Amino acid sequence: MTKHSKVGGLMTGEVVSVVPSTPFKEVAKRLAEHDISGLPVLDEDDRVVGVVSETDLLVRQALAADAVCGTRRPGPGAGTPGRDEGDAITAGRLMSAPAVTVHADETVAAAARTMLRRCVDRLPVVDDEDRLVGIVTRRDLLVVFLRPDPEIRRRVVEEVLVDTMGLAPDAVDVHVVDGRVTLEGTLETPAQILIVKKLTEQTDGVVSVSDRLTARGGDSP
């Protein structure tokens, strides 16, 4: 099988976090001090119960401002985050829950798809008991797509063609430009073409795949 980068190899192990009772002001302080946009919220067993982000804080402030201006009736605890109200508003009330998480052994591609599908910028990384072990951000995942073209080509040839398909390294001409892979050559069957293309698409660093492959044993797929 082709080797894929795992989330555990890219994640940050030392994670700034809060608990549900952490006050609004302290959440904002930690975000600013560490120059981050979100924090996992942990229970007493270090399990991730939610995530609180800059957006959550800004939405809260906007609602409070509307209430003060008379454009929105304030709800329970919806006063302007000030000396008293700010301390009453906690991470547990602000957070998005349940948290969207990943495991360390998931592939970077899977994590990226989760981020895009759930519209989040970061994913807490958890163990089998949902305890926090790290965090991975979109910026972390982008590292995979900065692989140089020669490295991508080497991995396609060695891992896809030779190791997985059992083909000769020159069975297919592999051209890579800015992560875009073009495959040219002739394989035995249309099924082989489909497999080679799919495995190439799954190779870390590949942005897109264009195949110009033909099959000796039948029509190209």
Side-chain angles (χ1 to χ4, degrees), residues 19-20 40-41 72 77 86 115 129 141 163 184 207 209:
V19 297
V41 184
R72 184 183 183 93
M115 282 188 179
E129 296 183 1
L141 300 187
D163 293 348
E184 296 184 83
V207 175
V209 177

Side-chain angles (χ1 to χ4, degrees), residues 145 152 156 160-161 172-184 192-213:
F145 294 97
I152 295 173
V156 171
V160 175
L161 299 181
V172 172
D173 290 329
V174 181
H175 307 278
V176 186
V177 178
D178 295 332
R180 298 187 297 272
V181 180
T182 300
L183 305 173
E184 296 184 83
Q192 278 189 322
I193 294 175
L194 289 174
I195 295 171
V196 167
K197 183 178 179 180
K198 182 176 181 180
L199 292 177
T200 300
E201 290 172 338
Q202 295 175 350
T203 300
D204 291 335
V206 171
V207 175
S208 64
V209 177
S210 174
D211 85 85
R212 300 172 184 173
L213 298 170

Side-chain angles (χ1 to χ4, degrees), residues 63-140:
L63 292 175
D66 285 347
V68 170
C69 294
T71 57
R72 184 183 183 93
R73 175 177 292 181
T80 303
R83 182 176 58 192
D84 298 322
E85 293 90 341
D87 290 338
I89 302 170
T90 63
R93 295 177 63 184
L94 292 167
M95 70 183 186
S96 300
V100 182
T101 62
V102 293
H103 290 87
D105 61 354
E106 290 191 39
T107 66
V108 168
R113 285 194 294 269
T114 298
M115 282 188 179
L116 292 174
R117 186 174 64 251
R118 302 300 293 270
C119 297
V120 295
D121 295 325
R122 73 205 61 79
L123 292 170
V125 185
V126 298
D127 63 16
D128 292 337
E129 296 183 1
D130 292 328
R131 290 175 300 199
L132 184 70
V133 296
I135 196 162
V136 66
T137 67
R138 289 194 181 199
R139 183 177 298 177
D140 296 327

Side-chain angles (χ1 to χ4, degrees), residues 45-68:
D45 296 317
D46 288 337
R47 292 186 175 89
V48 181
V49 294
V51 173
V52 61
S53 68
E54 289 176 330
T55 301
D56 296 322
L57 270 64
L58 291 172
V59 168
R60 183 69 194 194
Q61 288 178 311
L63 292 175
D66 285 347
V68 170

